[in-house]
Amino acid sequence: MALKPGSVMDGKIVNIANFGAFVDVEGKVGLVHISEISTSYVKNIRDKYKENDIVKVKVLSVEENGKINLSIKQAIERTGKSKAPDEFEWSGDKNKVTSISFEDRISKFLKDSEERHQDIKKNNESKVRRYKRTSNY
């Protein structure tokens, strides 16, 4: 089957970088950008996938220079199959009771929020330190 935009197929993750995962599809390697990994926020791809995992991918584009852009997120949306069972199912029964209590969800949200806030704060502090070193004030 030729690689053409819109086709969904299985691929094998051959390498993971901070910005995305490289997936081997039919002997050619394409990139799944981190924004195309999941419908939810992904801070570290290695938390969701590891090398040699088989994943469903959708071909987004095949450029003239040979670059192949892929998406796991869109393949999941199309097929309805997901490797990660912890992703929330929006189409489910609204009356169904979830196994996670409201307090646990809030606790998890606050923890994640605090971690992101600390990351932003560290980043801003490093920028201020660099500015002070380079300025003549």
Side-chain angles (χ1 to χ4, degrees):
M1 179 177 184
L3 291 177
K4 57 183 175 179
S7 58
V8 176
M9 55 193 63
D10 288 331
K12 180 179 177 182
I13 297 177
V14 293
N15 193 10
I16 296 177
N18 292 335
F19 55 86
F22 293 94
V23 179
D24 182 338
V25 182
E26 295 185 353
K28 296 181 181 178
V29 177
L31 174 68
V32 178
H33 188 267
I34 192 166
S35 64
E36 292 293 331
I37 294 289
S38 175
T39 56
S40 60
Y41 176 77
V42 176
K43 185 173 184 177
N44 186 351
I45 299 170
R46 289 176 182 87
D47 293 341
K48 261 191 168 333
Y49 298 104
K50 60 185 187 306
E51 290 181 8
N52 297 322
D53 279 353
I54 304 297
V55 293
K56 282 237 180 273
V57 292
K58 178 179 179 182
V59 179
L60 299 180
S61 67
V62 180
E63 297 178 14
E64 290 178 16
N65 60 5
K67 290 183 181 179
I68 303 168
N69 296 311
L70 305 168
S71 173
I72 296 173
K73 174 173 67 174
Q74 292 182 33
I76 290 170
E77 290 171 353
R78 182 172 173 183
T79 62
K81 295 179 183 175
S82 170
K83 179 184 186 281
D86 59 342
E87 289 186 352
F88 188 80
E89 182 63 44
W90 287 100
S91 62
D93 184 9
K94 293 180 182 175
N95 297 327
K96 189 167 43 171
V97 178
T98 60
S99 61
I100 301 173
S101 70
F102 177 74
E103 288 79 15
D104 290 340
R105 284 191 212 171
I106 291 295
S107 172
K108 183 179 181 313
F109 170 79
L110 290 173
K111 180 181 172 235
D112 291 345
S113 178
E114 182 62 27
E115 287 174 0
R116 290 180 189 154
H117 179 72
Q118 291 299 326
D119 288 344
I120 292 169
K121 190 174 178 181
K122 285 178 189 176
N123 187 20
N124 286 340
E125 288 172 356
S126 68
K127 286 180 182 178
V128 168
R129 275 185 263 142
R130 278 189 296 222
Y131 176 75
K132 285 182 179 178
R133 273 190 269 152
T134 60
S135 69
N136 295 326
Y137 298 109

